[in-house]
């Protein structure tokens, strides 16, 4: 499906996920810094709430059997585009 805004895509994803009969699993992003000197002091809650087109969502909710698109192949042949 093609949508022009992220909020429309999010609504479509929630609608499709509700139709799948299985249990939901939540995956959260990991926050870490490599150099303490380059760290900016913002609350983690604020950073996790930022939603822009170039950043992935902090909280990803999936069900077994849901179709997803990976931005890169992680563990070929298990975690790559076209697999479920």
């Amino acid at each position: 499906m093609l949508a022009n805004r992220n909020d429309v895509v999010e609504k479509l994803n929630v609608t499709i996920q509700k139709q799948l009969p299985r249990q939901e699993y939540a995956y959260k992003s990991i926050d870490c810094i490599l150099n303490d000197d380059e760290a900016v002091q913002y609350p983690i809650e604020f950073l996790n709430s930022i939603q822009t087109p170039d950043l992935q969502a902090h909280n990803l909710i999936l069900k077994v059997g849901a179709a997803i698109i990976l931005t890169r192949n992680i563990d070929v042949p298990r975690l790559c585009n076209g697999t479920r």
Side-chain angles (χ1 to χ4, degrees):
M1 290 186 201
L2 183 62
N4 60 348
R5 295 191 346 219
N6 286 344
D7 61 335
V8 175
V9 172
E10 185 63 30
K11 288 178 185 175
L12 284 170
N13 285 339
V14 169
T15 302
I16 293 169
Q17 292 277 353
K18 285 182 180 178
Q19 294 177 2
L20 294 173
R22 302 213 176 151
Q23 176 185 353
E24 290 182 342
Y25 294 94
Y27 299 95
K28 297 187 182 297
S29 64
I30 298 174
D31 301 320
C32 66
I33 55 172
L34 300 177
N35 186 352
D36 288 336
D37 297 332
E38 296 178 3
V40 179
Q41 299 299 322
Y42 288 107
I44 293 175
E45 295 81 15
F46 169 73
L47 295 174
N48 291 341
S49 69
I50 297 173
Q51 292 189 1
T52 63
D54 54 338
L55 290 176
Q56 300 299 319
H58 166 65
N59 193 21
L60 178 64
I61 299 174
L62 294 174
K63 289 185 177 182
V64 174
I68 62 170
I69 296 175
L70 300 174
T71 55
R72 64 184 160 149
N73 294 331
I74 299 171
D75 181 19
V76 179
R78 288 187 55 220
L79 298 175
C80 59
N81 283 329
T83 61
R84 285 187 181 231

